[in-house]
Amino acid sequence: MNSKQTQSSDSDYPPPPNPPHPSQRRPRGFASASSPPPPNNRREREKEKERTKLRERHRRAITSRMLSGLRQHGNFQLPARADMNDVLAALAREAGWVVEADGTTYRPATLGSAVAVIPPMSTSNQLVNFAVKPTGSPISSSSLKSCDVIKAPLDVQTPLMPVDDGLSPASLDSVVASGDAKRMKYGNAGPTMDSLDCVRQDQISTLNEDNFIGGQYIPIFATLPMGIINKYCELIDPEAVKQELRHLKALNVDGVVVYCWWGIVEGWAPHKYDWSGYNDLFIILKEFHLKFQVVLAFHEYGGNHLNGSADMPISLPKWVLEIGKENPDIFFTDHEGRRNTECLSWGIDRERALNGRTGLEVCFDFMRSFRTEFDVLFEEGTISAVEIGMGASGELRYPSFPQKLGWRYPGIGEFQCYDQYMQKNLRHAAKLRGHAIWGRGPDNTGYYNSRPHETGFFCDKGDYNNYYGRFFLKWYTGYLINHIDQVLSLTRLAFEGIQLVIKIPLLYWWYKSASHAAELTAGFYNSTNRDGYSPVLEVLKRHGVTVKLVYCGLNSQVDGELCADSEVLCWQVMSSARDLGLTIAAEASLPCHDKDIYGRIVDMSKSRYDPDHRHLTFFTYQQPAPMFMQQRDELHLSKLNNFIRCMHDSSPQF
């Protein structure tokens, strides 16, 4: 009986409900058709994160191109880190709207022929009176002087601003910004209402060309021919050098650039420095009262230069080449094992592979010897700057497109990291990353003359943008950054207080492709959605270095088939350098004979549209192959003389 009662009593209670399962949120609207299914495991979540990153990179790339176009072609003065609020404000002002500092936006109304600013409606529904000049003629400065006082509620008070047809969008922005700044600084005069000041025509800030360009004197330096010093460090023809210097003085150049070759000065034995030929040359330069810049060149010359110079070839020191026969890994190496003797591999920066010295020690000993030999010239200020050769052709880059190994424009080049020292470093970096299999170079990058779409690494959606590709490219450009940081740390010890210069090439071909293949193989990780130059420039800024941009051809071409655009690349590098506060110079890598090219150089050197009045520190041009050994071209000399005059004068027109 008790058991039955117990059973019946238990059945009187309903069974406990099952715990509710959390229901996944169902996407609605457009998201219901396009959103992927929720990830169920770790691998799918990682894939979804990767897809999200790719979408975000694509969005940022579109935004970056829009901002670049607005800055370059629309004369919009957008901040370096502009967001969409800045873009909307600039577009609204361009369309004639008024945008205040707090974001309040409204547009002026035209009544008759007078312009009156209509602010947003007040919460108190009070009406605003406007001064209207009911005539059919445009507003003049005299009519503005006699405008009446306008009373308005305190919370909607704004100044009256005339519209001038010759006023640029940048000037309108400056007027609005200045008005906002004054109101923030001084506040309103009365507790409830105040008068509205009238603006005269001469108070409006405009871009006056004379005031803007005035005072922008850009020094011009001419590079002396390479063959004036022979391999025994002797000045070949002093009289011919003097004749050339007289010609340069007649052109009003400010100074000359002299290359001091490591392969000549320390050419025959380690620690044996012979500066005799340069001593003779510097004495002649002092007689002509010319300042000069010195390039400490640690690379070879001849066989890989695009200027077709007839100068004698200059190799690395003979004792270094002898070491290279026994240990070829001291040179940069491509993926097929071919050695490039143009310069030493950065893999031996800390390896004692050069008769007991490291690559850094050899460079520092050479720099210290030069400073000791010519210390008097530094004290007198005759040597105005020292340029340090950082890689192939003296430029900060890997030797990724050597002509003597078959490269021809517009090939993408090849990675140069296959010597044993750099490969050892790559394997170590891959182990630290947790993927030892990544400790090798990519095997689908094509050849020197390949196009990006012909490779699996550089093509659109290629391996350059997967996990391994990003790891490798970060390591590759990181090796370049580490090299310049170490070299400049030692350079500062040898040349304390001296202006240092580093050359950065503008590798413009394939710039508009997704991968930027030519820049990647040269060491600049500047693919779409990445700024490959700012990390390099930050190191140069830390060491107080002047950046010299090198134009490979100066043809300013926009080639759709080759995705080439040298002007946009130049703008990117210059903008990044100026954002960091670096001083900028430029050099023409080829002799120039074209009037249009001269005009573009002048416009780039001191742009009349730059509101900050920024310009190049100096400009270096290449002399035609030895100019004093060939007949003068009077037409070319006339163009060159006009170019130098424009760089010195206040007028930007060539």
Side-chain angles (χ1 to χ4, degrees):
M1 182 66 179
N2 295 335
S3 63
K4 291 181 179 180
Q5 290 177 352
T6 304
Q7 293 176 0
S8 62
S9 61
D10 291 339
S11 62
D12 293 338
Y13 296 96
N18 294 328
H21 295 283
S23 60
Q24 293 183 343
R25 191 174 184 179
R26 194 181 70 155
R28 297 180 181 180
F30 177 77
S32 63
S34 60
S35 62
N40 297 323
N41 53 50
R42 182 177 179 182
R43 178 172 297 178
E44 291 184 1
R45 287 197 300 270
E46 292 295 331
K47 289 182 179 180
E48 179 60 24
K49 288 181 180 178
E50 185 67 17
R51 286 192 291 268
T52 302
K53 290 180 180 178
L54 290 175
R55 288 193 293 268
E56 180 63 17
R57 291 193 187 99
H58 181 65
R59 185 191 66 79
R60 290 180 181 177
I62 295 175
T63 303
S64 177
R65 295 189 185 101
M66 291 173 61
L67 295 176
S68 299
L70 289 173
R71 289 191 183 100
Q72 184 176 7
H73 304 295
N75 196 26
F76 286 93
Q77 306 304 322
L78 297 174
R81 302 295 181 184
D83 57 15
M84 293 311 298
N85 290 340
D86 299 314
V87 175
L88 289 174
L91 293 175
R93 287 168 180 152
E94 172 70 10
W97 292 65
V98 178
V99 181
E100 295 187 353
D102 61 353
T104 303
T105 304
Y106 48 91
R107 64 170 161 186
T110 303
L111 303 178
S113 63
V115 178
V117 177
I118 301 181
M121 291 299 296
S122 170
T123 55
S124 60
N125 295 326
Q126 291 177 294
L127 296 177
V128 183
N129 298 321
F130 299 96
V132 179
K133 187 177 186 297
T135 63
S137 60
I139 297 179
S140 63
S141 59
S142 60
S143 63
L144 285 173
K145 291 178 184 178
S146 60
C147 66
D148 296 330
V149 174
I150 304 171
K151 296 183 179 181
L154 179 63
D155 56 344
V156 296
Q157 184 171 340
T158 51
L160 182 65
M161 183 176 67
V163 177
D164 180 21
D165 293 336
L167 200 59
S168 67
S171 301
L172 287 171
D173 290 349
S174 65
V175 173
V176 175
S178 63
D180 292 339
K182 288 180 179 179
R183 287 195 298 275
M184 293 177 64
K185 180 177 180 180
Y186 298 108
N188 294 312
T192 58
M193 61 183 61
D194 192 14
S195 63
L196 199 61
D197 295 334
C198 298
V199 183
R200 298 193 309 271
Q201 187 73 18
D202 56 2
Q203 290 177 325
I204 299 176
S205 173
T206 59
L207 291 180
N208 184 285
E209 182 175 311
D210 295 335
N211 294 336
F212 182 72
I213 301 297
Q216 292 189 359
Y217 180 98
I218 299 179
I220 300 295
F221 287 80
T223 302
L224 292 182
M226 306 300 172
I228 59 178
I229 305 287
N230 63 19
K231 63 180 180 180
Y232 301 104
C233 202
E234 297 172 342
L235 186 60
I236 296 179
D237 192 344
E239 290 303 320
V241 172
K242 292 180 180 180
Q243 179 182 351
E244 179 65 11
L245 294 178
R246 293 188 191 98
H247 165 69
L248 294 176
K249 288 284 287 187
L251 288 173
N252 294 319
V253 300
D254 298 270
V256 296
V257 177
V258 179
Y259 275 73
C260 296
W261 296 94
W262 178 43
I264 292 177
V265 176
E266 197 183 1
W268 303 99
H271 293 289
K272 301 295 184 182
Y273 304 100
D274 183 5
W275 298 100
S276 57
Y278 292 102
N279 262 309
D280 297 337
L281 176 61
F282 293 163
I283 290 174
I284 295 176
L285 292 177
K286 287 191 64 177
E287 293 177 359
F288 282 83
H289 303 286
L290 282 171
K291 288 189 175 183
F292 51 92
Q293 299 177 357
V294 174
V295 180
L296 301 185
F298 296 95
H299 60 281
E300 72 175 14
Y301 176 79
N304 193 42
H305 281 252
L306 305 177
N307 57 7
S309 173
D311 293 339
M312 68 174 188
I314 302 172
S315 67
L316 296 183
K318 304 298 184 294
W319 58 274
V320 172
L321 297 178
E322 291 297 323
I323 295 175
K325 293 179 180 178
E326 299 179 0
N327 180 17
D329 286 294
I330 66 173
F331 302 119
F332 282 105
T333 309
D334 62 23
H335 74 283
E336 292 186 352
R338 290 173 292 187
R339 315 291 181 172
N340 188 339
T341 60
E342 189 174 356
C343 57
L344 294 176
S345 169
W346 301 334
I348 64 171
D349 278 354
R350 294 187 175 275
E351 299 287 340
R352 299 194 175 278
L354 301 174
N355 285 349
R357 289 189 294 171
T358 66
L360 292 174
E361 289 173 346
V362 167
C363 292
F364 178 69
D365 290 343
F366 183 76
M367 291 186 288
R368 184 171 54 183
S369 173
F370 177 81
R371 178 60 190 268
T372 303
E373 183 72 22
F374 302 107
D375 189 58
V376 175
L377 297 179
F378 285 104
E379 293 178 356
E380 296 174 349
T382 305
I383 299 180
S384 60
V386 175
E387 182 180 314
I388 308 299
M390 282 291 179
S393 300
E395 302 166 356
L396 178 55
R397 64 174 176 85
Y398 288 90
S400 54
F401 41 92
Q403 283 189 317
K404 63 182 180 181
L405 294 183
W407 175 86
R408 295 295 181 270
Y409 176 85
I412 60 176
E414 293 189 17
F415 291 115
Q416 304 290 316
C417 60
Y418 294 89
D419 60 82
Q420 63 167 324
Y421 303 106
M422 295 189 71
Q423 285 293 296
K424 178 182 176 181
N425 187 280
L426 177 58
R427 289 192 295 269
H428 178 67
K431 289 180 180 179
L432 292 179
R433 179 67 174 78
H435 300 279
I437 194 174
W438 289 355
R440 54 174 177 77
D443 54 5
N444 58 345
T445 57
Y447 303 96
Y448 285 111
N449 295 314
S450 298
R451 308 292 177 95
H453 62 272
E454 299 171 350
T455 71
F457 191 84
F458 298 112
C459 65
D460 290 346
K461 300 181 181 179
D463 291 347
Y464 79 93
N465 204 30
N466 62 20
Y467 284 110
Y468 162 73
R470 292 196 294 272
F471 160 78
F472 172 77
L473 292 173
K474 288 179 181 177
W475 170 84
Y476 191 69
T477 191
Y479 216 104
L480 177 148
I481 293 173
N482 185 59
H483 171 71
I484 61 173
D485 192 21
Q486 295 182 90
V487 171
L488 289 176
S489 296
L490 295 176
T491 304
R492 274 299 172 202
L493 297 177
F495 301 106
E496 185 177 359
I498 306 300
Q499 181 184 12
L500 298 180
V501 181
I502 298 296
K503 288 198 292 191
I504 293 183
L506 297 178
L507 310 176
Y508 56 84
W509 56 99
W510 306 116
Y511 176 77
K512 298 176 71 174
S513 64
S515 61
H516 293 227
E519 294 170 271
L520 295 186
T521 57
F524 296 99
Y525 192 2
N526 194 49
S527 60
T528 302
N529 294 324
R530 292 190 64 92
D531 182 0
Y533 294 93
S534 288
V536 176
L537 296 173
E538 287 172 359
V539 176
L540 301 184
K541 171 63 177 178
R542 188 164 65 248
H543 293 281
V545 171
T546 295
V547 177
K548 180 193 282 188
L549 302 182
V550 180
Y551 295 83
C552 299
L554 276 171
N555 57 0
S556 188
Q557 68 172 347
V558 180
D559 193 320
E561 181 182 356
L562 303 180
C563 297
D565 197 333
S566 60
E567 288 189 349
V568 176
L569 174 58
C570 177
W571 179 89
Q572 178 192 349
V573 180
M574 292 183 71
S575 297
S576 298
R578 283 170 172 165
D579 287 345
L580 293 171
L582 284 162
T583 55
I584 305 174
E587 173 183 312
S589 64
L590 298 176
C592 178
H593 306 275
D594 194 314
K595 178 180 179 180
D596 293 336
I597 294 178
Y598 278 136
R600 285 198 294 267
I601 296 174
V602 173
D603 187 61
M604 176 272 299
S605 301
K606 44 182 178 180
S607 174
R608 76 188 72 177
Y609 304 113
D610 190 337
D612 298 320
H613 301 199
R614 295 171 297 192
H615 55 88
L616 297 183
T617 305
F618 61 87
F619 183 83
T620 302
Y621 77 93
Q622 294 282 348
Q623 289 275 48
M627 197 168 181
F628 54 84
M629 295 181 182
Q630 58 183 246
Q631 186 177 3
R632 302 286 186 185
D633 184 348
E634 295 301 329
L635 179 60
H636 167 67
L637 293 181
S638 175
K639 294 177 182 178
L640 179 59
N641 183 63
N642 192 25
F643 166 71
I644 295 175
R645 179 186 57 79
C646 290
M647 296 291 276
H648 287 170
D649 292 347
S650 61
S651 173
Q653 299 294 332
F654 179 75

